[in-house]
Amino acid sequence: INAEYLEEEFSGHGVTFEGIGESCVAKMELENGSTASLMLPTGLITSYKAHMWHKGTLELLHTSVSEAEDEEDALIEGGTSLALSFASEEDQHSWSPTAWSLHGVSGSPSDSIKIEMMSNDSEGNIRLKHIVTLEQDMLSSELVVSNLKSSPLQMLGGFMSHITVSTPDAIYALGLDGSNFFDKQPVDTEFTIIPLRYGDRSQPGYGQVYGKMTLQALASTLGSLNKYNAVVARRRTPYESEEDGEEGEEDDGYKQLTEEMCRIYTSAPRVLTLLDRGKRNSITVGRSGFEELYLMSPGSVHEFYSKYAYILVGQTALLKPIMVAPGDEWRGMFYIHNPNNE
């Protein structure tokens, strides 16, 4: 990726580009001080600093940077990412987007800035558009899926966003009471952060037991897609294992996320408020298109403001795949709203 070329081609909209190794960081900055950064070609959103009432900014996303195994590149985890897997009756394999190309930049620093990225499978039959928009008090990420195949397309996964917190012990999720949920195994994708001792009964403050399952493993359960009904049956099998908890209904409208947990809410509000009493701050996260709310807490047995000082909020299709008919287009969105702007 040529950062100098991108700077020349897409300048003038409040976006700057900086090359880091074989990657490039695109930074969006508004006149009110709000900024957002994303990486190309991964499409990972690594930072969202929101303008606050006290005239300063506050980082709302949690990102971890460590040394990779080959010691040449840095390992970047966290932030907001798209973890997706696609399959159709035509194919015997699944496809996941791994690289995004910059398609366009628009807007202005005085109002809002929009970055559009594109990705498609090798045959060009699945076209994805990823649109990241920075506004005065909001960061949104929209996915547009176009199915150019002659058969229905199944999509698994969704947005995974690490919200930075002082400690999970200080975080409260407001408004989940009455929502149906399933206790599930955490989805371990390329960018998600899961403690090495997650689910270890011996560690102090241990909460509940969950294993880990990669998105690729979920996709592999689709198997041969000769018949849609058979696909759905196989797709659900991993979630019905004995390792999973029982289905339940949330009875706490002011839920403290102290304990280690991973849940998929099937009937949660489309807008959820997260209150951080440690930072004396609150944000709202919302979705459209996706029906499921994925909520994971690493638990409060870790150090304050450490690698594990986050809450993972996902807008997903994991229990029930999203179907896109031949020739159709589907849209889904995830956003973080900062209500503490002046």
Side-chain angles (χ1 to χ4, degrees), residues 14 21 52 65 82 85 87 97 110 128 137 199 203 250 274 286 293 299 304 317 326:
M52 306 298 289
V65 181
L82 271 170
S85 182
S110 61
L128 307 181
D137 58 356
Q203 64 176 318
E250 186 62 68
L274 296 175
L293 169 66
F304 279 38

Side-chain angles (χ1 to χ4, degrees), residues 7-51:
E7 182 74 34
E8 181 179 349
E9 182 72 15
F10 297 103
S11 63
H13 299 281
V15 181
T16 57
F17 300 90
E18 179 183 358
I20 300 181
E22 297 182 354
S23 301
C24 177
V25 176
K27 183 177 181 180
M28 314 158 72
E29 185 170 4
L30 295 177
E31 291 178 354
N32 74 344
S34 295
T35 64
S37 298
L38 61 88
M39 297 192 66
L40 295 170
T42 61
L44 174 68
I45 304 174
T46 59
S47 174
Y48 171 36
K49 293 182 179 179
H51 176 72

Side-chain angles (χ1 to χ4, degrees), residues 76-89:
I76 302 177
E77 300 172 299
T80 297
S81 60
L82 271 170
L84 302 170
S85 182
F86 296 89
S88 72
E89 296 179 9

Side-chain angles (χ1 to χ4, degrees), residues 129-168:
K129 182 182 292 186
H130 183 195
I131 306 169
V132 178
T133 305
L134 176 64
E135 301 180 40
Q136 300 286 331
D137 58 356
M138 182 184 301
L139 179 71
S140 65
S141 189
E142 182 180 14
L143 174 67
V144 182
V145 180
S146 299
N147 180 17
L148 305 182
K149 293 177 175 286
S150 59
S151 61
L153 181 68
Q154 291 193 66
M155 181 181 76
L156 301 176
F159 290 98
M160 294 290 184
S161 188
H162 298 71
I163 306 299
T164 186
V165 300
S166 52
T167 170

Side-chain angles (χ1 to χ4, degrees), residues 163 165 171-174 176 255 257 272-277 281-285 295 311-313:
I163 306 299
V165 300
I171 290 297
Y172 295 80
L174 280 57
L176 287 175
K255 183 174 183 60
L257 303 182
L272 177 68
T273 298
L274 296 175
L275 174 64
D276 188 340
R277 298 186 64 178
N281 181 57
S282 67
I283 64 169
T284 58
V285 293
L295 186 60
I311 296 296
L312 179 55
V313 181

